Amino acid sequence: MSRVDLAVLGGLALLSVGLLFWATGNVVLAAGFLAGLAIAAGGTLLARRLFPKAAAGEAALPDWTMLRVAVNHDDVAVAVTDRGGRLVCANDLFATWFGGFVTPPGLPVDARGAEALKNAGRTAWRDGEGVADDIAVGPLQLRAHIFRTGQAEDYLVWRFSANERLDLATEIVRHLDGPAGLTLAQAGVMAALVSAEGRLRSANRAFLLRALDEADQAHYVGRDVSAMLRLDEAGSLYFAREGDRATPVRMIQIPLAPADTHGPVLLTMLDEEIGPADRGTAQAYVETLLSLLPFGLALVDRDGRFLYMNRAFKRAGNVGEGRMPRYPGDLVVGEDKGPLADMIRRHSSGQQVGGDLSIRLVGQGDDPVSMRVVGVRGLGEAAVLLSLKDSSEESRLKRQVAQASKMQAVGQLAGGVAHDFNNILTAVLGSCDLMLMRHTPGDSDYDDIQQIRSNANRAASLTRQLLAFSRQQTLRPQILQLPDVISEVSHLLKRLIGDTVQLSVHHGRGLGAVRADPGQLEQVIINLAVNARDAMPGGGTLTIETYPVSAADVRQMGSEFMPPADYSALKVSDTGTGIPADVLPKIFEPFFTTKDVGKGTGLGLSTVYGIIKQSAGFIFADSKPGKTSFTIYLPVHRAEHGAPATPTPVSKPKKSQWGTGTILLVEDEDMVRAVAERALARAGYTVVTASQGEEGLERFAGMEKVDLVVSDVVMPTMDGPAMVREMRKKRPALPVLFMSGYAEEQLRQSINIDDVAFLPKPFSVAQLAEAVSAALDNAAHRASDG
């Protein structure tokens, strides 16, 4: 390679670092990219050191997988160790950060960091990946990411990345004073770091030889750079010390902080003896460097036409393969074409301080993106550099966060509405039950009362769906196998889907047990099957599959939501019309339906979503014409060590609806309190009532005997749990039955009171009497056992 080629490559290397920092503002990334270029340039030497047998022509085959992992990550320090804990190879940045080629995890870090590295290494050997955070090495705070790799998975790749920002100016001074500066000087590239006041902070040997006398080179820091240079009438730049025989030089200025016009500047200079062929080569080198950068960059000439754009820019600008737009304005909507063209024109005419412009890209909606425009010099025909960030992923995440927030808000609203509605339904159902006690079949009012009760039960079913969506319903989880649940519901499914739809069931091997409510899981399968049937009006095939999913499979899926673990999957697919792409993100929203008015409540899929999430699972939908599938992932249940297996609950005989004793009834809803009081009094109990917690305490203090406290949970001033805690200070064994429209699991977590029973609302008179009788019997058993 010629001296000129070396000079161009050296200068462009520093230029690329400056461009990288200007576009991202990330010093660590820029410094790491410079180290990466040095690693790439020494790739052949590294390969020879790593594989001496292959270099000597022997038959041993190198592990190229390991070599690629070690070399291709430019912005991190990399080391590779084998199964015996020996260091196989490491890059230069690793040696720089850790003071040599030290074997992980025995690095020069504090005790906490060493322990974290050791644990992360063990995790990587076991699971394939390990992470250790906040590893302190001098002024640096590092994060270690460790992977098991190699053809036989017998190597660990240790990758260390810096968490703290580095001082780019300090890094450049270190490089100019070190081997990098010497290499540039030998190639004829002159480089210097200049302060905002125009004073020299550092320079390589080539710059000092051209700019200063030999005697002045030992004390060059702080000298005025403008005194070392001169311009002639034609605008050519020379070193002043060289006089009339000076060779003109071409200078590239790279601000280290583009937004700060008073920050330090990196100067690189080349002799102006480069011919047109070399300039073409330099342009090719620039394009090659830009293509390696992870963010979108494009070059524009003085007439505003595109000269080049890298892959990241094409991806961010939605530019298809084989289609090169002529002007930047071709990428934006009509309203933004004028402002963008004006900004490019200003910067191409000499303005070098960058500016940002908010634009909207064609075909990407109304979400604006930021394009950075800056004027450049010394890049051939290029006059303007454009930077465009690929914000598609960011926009997608913003939409997901907005959707999650909306679903959470709707869930809270639905749960609150369902709770209040349950109080109303409790009063309606209770009143109907009391009226039916006074009427017999054949009475003129009997059928009307039954109709009211039937509709109240339908409304109660609707509130259960609302609570399922908001994940506040009461579940009765059991340890079960998915094939057993599908077998139980398959006969019902065949009747539901009809004769025109064929049911196909396939079960995989090695399925793990899951913990879920079998009744609710059956409801999930039924809802999905009914939706599939409606999507196949002309007939088709409904397929239900179960199969195991390992933690390694989850990692390969790359899901942002599912943590790596073992799952049992349930997949329901149909061959129907499919779900349109604009509808798919909305299908789990409550009350959203594409069916005609009167043919659906819009709660089916939202109920499915709530049941699965409350069971600690995940559900995903995928649809295209002719194939729609819903995949449910439920975590495999792992019994705690030494814990007894959860027995399958057996059905208990109904308790008597008659009894004796004194009951303190505390309920803030007047209509519910009145119905419950009448129902308990008819069942033979003596009932004392209170409308809220403080009144309940007063009644309790004035009663000689209380056999059971029946209380609502949520009440104004003092809620039920707070009231019960005060009562149990006097009577620790006091029996308690809580009534609530919220989920039992949620209430038990927040109440944290032992030996209490729950009765979910809405309930009938018979259910209230049975719950009271059961609570009294359980209290009697506890007393006898004690």
Side-chain angles (χ1 to χ4, degrees), residues 390-699:
D390 184 1
S391 58
S392 57
E393 181 70 11
E394 183 178 346
S395 300
R396 185 181 66 83
L397 292 176
K398 286 181 179 179
R399 289 193 297 270
Q400 288 181 350
V401 171
Q403 177 72 2
S405 300
K406 181 172 67 175
M407 295 285 278
Q408 182 181 8
V410 173
Q412 291 175 345
L413 175 63
V417 170
H419 174 262
D420 292 341
F421 201 44
N422 277 335
N423 280 326
I424 300 174
L425 292 175
T426 299
V428 173
L429 288 171
S431 298
C432 289
D433 289 341
L434 293 173
M435 293 173 66
L436 287 173
M437 292 178 183
R438 302 194 302 271
H439 295 77
T440 58
D443 290 352
S444 59
D445 295 333
Y446 185 85
D447 291 339
D448 293 337
I449 298 171
Q450 284 284 26
Q451 188 66 29
I452 294 173
R453 194 176 190 279
S454 175
N455 285 307
N457 281 323
R458 287 184 61 193
S461 176
L462 186 64
T463 60
R464 282 194 294 271
Q465 293 185 40
L466 285 172
L467 288 172
F469 163 71
S470 58
R471 300 179 232 171
Q472 297 176 13
Q473 69 172 340
T474 297
L475 297 181
R476 297 290 184 266
Q478 301 176 22
I479 309 304
L480 49 85
Q481 289 282 351
L482 291 179
D484 296 338
V485 178
I486 296 172
S487 176
E488 288 290 332
V489 80
S490 58
H491 298 293
L492 177 59
L493 287 180
K494 291 177 181 178
R495 292 197 300 269
L496 284 174
I497 62 179
D499 297 332
T500 60
V501 178
Q502 180 182 358
L503 177 62
S504 177
V505 179
H506 306 282
H507 296 303
R509 295 182 178 180
L511 280 170
V514 300
R515 186 174 187 270
D517 186 323
Q520 295 299 329
L521 206 52
E522 290 177 3
Q523 185 66 46
V524 166
I525 298 172
I526 291 172
N527 284 3
L528 294 177
V530 169
N531 282 347
R533 177 203 64 189
D534 295 342
M536 298 182 288
T541 302
L542 172 65
T543 304
I544 300 178
E545 304 171 74
T546 60
Y547 53 92
V549 179
S550 66
D553 295 332
V554 176
R555 292 190 186 94
Q556 288 185 349
M557 290 165 55
S559 173
E560 301 174 2
F561 308 103
M562 287 177 56
D566 293 333
Y567 295 87
S568 290
L570 168 64
K571 187 174 184 179
V572 180
S573 308
D574 65 70
T575 57
T577 55
I579 304 174
D582 59 330
V583 173
L584 195 60
K586 306 175 184 178
I587 58 174
F588 294 120
E589 295 182 8
F591 307 113
F592 178 82
T593 180
T594 57
K595 298 179 181 179
D596 297 335
V597 177
K599 293 186 178 181
T601 62
L603 284 173
L605 286 178
S606 64
T607 300
V608 168
Y609 177 85
I611 292 172
I612 297 303
K613 297 304 290 184
Q614 195 172 356
S615 302
F618 301 88
I619 180 169
F620 300 98
D622 183 37
S623 182
K624 58 184 178 181
K627 180 69 178 292
T628 298
S629 61
F630 289 84
T631 307
I632 296 168
Y633 299 92
L634 293 173
V636 173
H637 176 72
R638 306 291 186 191
E640 295 183 5
H641 182 68
T646 303
T648 302
V650 296
S651 58
K652 297 180 180 179
K654 291 186 176 181
K655 296 293 180 181
S656 171
Q657 297 184 17
W658 303 96
T660 57
T662 303
I663 295 176
L664 174 59
L665 174 64
V666 186
E667 169 64 61
D668 62 317
E669 290 287 342
D670 295 340
M671 50 188 175
V672 177
R673 186 174 66 253
V675 168
E677 180 184 7
R678 291 177 57 191
L680 293 174
R682 288 180 63 91
Y685 299 100
T686 301
V687 184
V688 177
T689 63
S691 60
Q692 43 94 6
E694 291 181 345
E695 184 180 353
L697 288 177
E698 294 176 2
R699 296 281 191 273

Side-chain angles (χ1 to χ4, degrees), residues 730-786:
K730 298 179 179 179
R731 284 190 54 189
L734 177 68
V736 176
L737 172 64
F738 278 127
M739 307 176 294
S740 178
Y742 289 112
E744 178 179 337
E745 290 83 1
Q746 181 183 12
L747 292 175
R748 285 195 183 275
Q749 291 176 1
S750 60
I751 292 175
N752 193 24
I753 300 178
D754 296 330
D755 298 330
V756 295
F758 282 88
L759 177 62
K761 296 179 181 179
F763 50 77
S764 64
V765 167
Q767 289 171 331
L768 174 61
E770 290 174 6
V772 168
S773 178
L776 289 171
D777 287 350
N778 290 336
H781 288 315
R782 287 196 300 270
S784 62
D785 293 340

Side-chain angles (χ1 to χ4, degrees), residues 247-269:
T247 300
V249 294
R250 178 160 55 98
M251 182 171 66
I252 301 174
Q253 303 181 49
I254 306 173
L256 299 191
D260 184 7
T261 57
H262 300 290
V265 176
L266 176 65
L267 305 180
T268 59
M269 300 182 186

